[in-house]
Amino acid sequence: MSLLPRSTEEFSSADYWERFFTKRGDKAFEWYGDYGRLCGVLHTYIKVQHKMYDVGYNKLTNIDISETVVTHMNQRNATRRPQLTFQRVDATQTHYEDASFQACLDKGTLDAMASEEEGSLARKMLTEVSRLLCVGGRYVCVTLAQESVAKLALEHFVSLGWAVRFHCLQEEAKSGEDSLGLPVFVLICTKFRQPMPSPILEMCLGDGDGAPGRYATSAELLTAIREMQSYAMLRKQLRTRTDASSSPSLTLCHVKTGLPRYTLTVQDRPPNAKVPRSNYFGVFIVPQGKETDWQYGSSEGRGQLAASANFKRLVVVAMHRDQLYTDMQAVQTELSQMVPFLSVGGQLGWREVVSRGVSQLSGEYCVEDVRGEDGELYRRLIFLSNASLIQSEGRLIPSSHAVADRPISVLQVGLGGGSLAQFLRDFVPRVRVEVVELDPAVLQVAEGFFGFRADERLTVTLGDGLERIDALAEDGGCLFDAIIIDVDGKDNTVGMSCPPQAFVQTSFLEKVRDLLNPNGVFMLNLVCRDSGLRASTLERLRVTFPRMLSRTIEGEVNMVLLCSRGGGEEEESSAPPPLPSAQAARSLQAALSSRPAGTATGPKIDIVDLVKNLKVA
């Protein structure tokens, strides 16, 4: 370990290399791979007529800044390779004539020099290389292609109008726990008689038997290099250890279209987990339309899945939208034939993308129909910035209308697909619903794909829900029987994705409470994975609302909260809220299910079951 540099600057220091080779002696040291590994690419671009000694390249000039290595190599090769010369020369300023070489081979020198003087030393060397090569000559550089190095080389040779090609050798430069895990690249830059009017930028995998990939800009080529490096790092991470605390993922794209086809997420068990020797590794294929389920779309859910499957490492595979999959067997064949596959019921699942769009506020969104486990069709709204979260979902059934009863006023913040507001409008007698929605694109989606229709009893106000409630509170009056907040947060850095934290601050909650009738209900959809943040949020709600009931959603992290302001001064605030009776639930179920003759049946909702699972929050 004492041979390794203490800083990146030592890579370009002559004193460091003097010490290195003096201590190293005759023992070979190949950071970037030996000749056997590199020869496939080298023989493609450095021809025998270009003059490497033992394979027909009989005239080689080798330069180095270390006097020790130059002396040693001359002595070692004087008898067996008389034409093989080693000279102590600074690569940034040589004494050779212009256009005197047909090829320049660099193994790690560019990487070393790029660390010095903000890359100015490396630029001087590349300028010298450009001068020394004749027309048709090639600069062949074995490199790790770290971004600063690759960008520096691209800027230099593109400005000269040379062709630039990278070969990714894919395998890591040095295997084992202590390696960096980075792949080795071979950079090929070819000099033309006249500068190319537009850059030729290419990438090959391995020795380059297949056609190279062509890139329009240097930025695109740099992105491709980063992706290969990330892939290699992921391979090293997965090969050397298991880590239950992280869930690395990899997206596989279609070879022809380049579109994402599968996303593979790795879920490891804790190191002390006991599993059969044959159950080290398995693949679970998620049926289409189920990837948003908590069990497959969250780290906690995948951890439980791996535990129940009793595998040390489980790879959870999600299929992408806009891709055609024949059946489960075809998917398994496409992925691999050498691993144990698992799924739910052996079914491929069904999904159809109805529409895609882009909102200026929420980004890309997708409207899709999926078939649920009950065989029914459901329509979903998904914001692709958080594709594991269902923004809105509704069963596809004909809408119908109930017999009117007493008037009820509802304020709903957050429209989504509009299913909840439309349900209230269609099934609750004489209800009047005002929906506040910030994003106009969401309203368009609800109207275009979820059957949402506004009328005199169902209105939509486009605007900020916080500002709307502030305005209502300031005006006074306008009491509501129910206020519903179902708004997703855009800040992924906090552990609460619904609602944004501003909606659960005490000052805002007090305004909501004051806008409720004495028997009114505040309904909140809470999605919070941070246990500390969830506890503090619930405590603020308890302080504001004396009565609070909760219901968790099976298979989801959602918690639906039903809060009320209490029945009056004569009622002790410390008394627990009474749970709704089964009789009341049955009465409500009957009211929702009763339909006039000739109309569609009522909604498939078991009110009795919903009430049974309520608990005091």
Side-chain angles (χ1 to χ4, degrees), residues 12 22 78 168 191 344 413 432 447 454 477 511:
S12 56
T22 299
C168 179
K191 184 176 184 178
V344 180
V413 180
R432 289 188 176 273
E447 292 175 335
K511 295 175 184 177

Side-chain angles (χ1 to χ4, degrees), residues 9-68:
E9 285 74 17
E10 284 196 320
F11 274 118
S12 56
S13 165
D15 292 338
Y16 165 74
W17 291 110
E18 284 290 338
R19 295 193 306 272
F20 179 91
F21 287 111
T22 299
K23 291 181 180 180
R24 191 75 189 178
D26 291 334
K27 188 176 180 181
F29 190 75
E30 299 291 358
W31 269 331
Y32 290 71
D34 57 18
Y35 175 75
R37 183 178 178 211
L38 301 171
C39 65
V41 175
L42 298 182
H43 281 280
T44 301
Y45 297 100
I46 303 178
K47 304 301 182 183
V48 172
Q49 63 266 29
H50 289 173
K51 304 167 198 177
M52 284 173 303
Y53 199 94
D54 292 340
V55 290
Y57 303 89
N58 299 129
K59 187 176 181 181
L60 286 172
T61 300
N62 305 276
I63 66 173
D64 202 282
I65 55 174
S66 169
E67 184 66 42
T68 299

Side-chain angles (χ1 to χ4, degrees), residues 400-402 419-433 453-458:
S400 53
H401 301 274
S419 303
L420 175 58
Q422 194 71 55
F423 171 86
L424 294 173
R425 161 65 179 79
D426 291 344
F427 291 98
V428 178
R430 296 185 62 192
V431 72
R432 289 188 176 273
V433 183
R453 293 293 180 268
D455 58 21
E456 70 281 357
R457 293 200 297 121
L458 175 54

Side-chain angles (χ1 to χ4, degrees), residues 496-512:
M496 185 163 68
S497 56
C498 181
Q501 293 192 68
F503 284 86
V504 290
Q505 298 305 311
T506 300
S507 59
F508 178 79
L509 294 174
E510 289 175 345
K511 295 175 184 177
V512 171

Side-chain angles (χ1 to χ4, degrees), residues 11 39 71 86 100 203 256 279 334 349 373 492 502 571 581:
F11 274 118
C39 65
T71 301
F86 292 84
S100 55
M203 170 76 76
K256 293 182 178 179
N279 279 21
E334 185 176 5
E373 293 181 358
N492 295 325
E571 186 177 325
S581 67

Side-chain angles (χ1 to χ4, degrees), residues 511-523:
K511 295 175 184 177
V512 171
R513 178 197 61 199
D514 295 340
L515 286 172
L516 286 173
N517 287 323
N519 293 320
V521 178
F522 170 46
M523 303 179 189

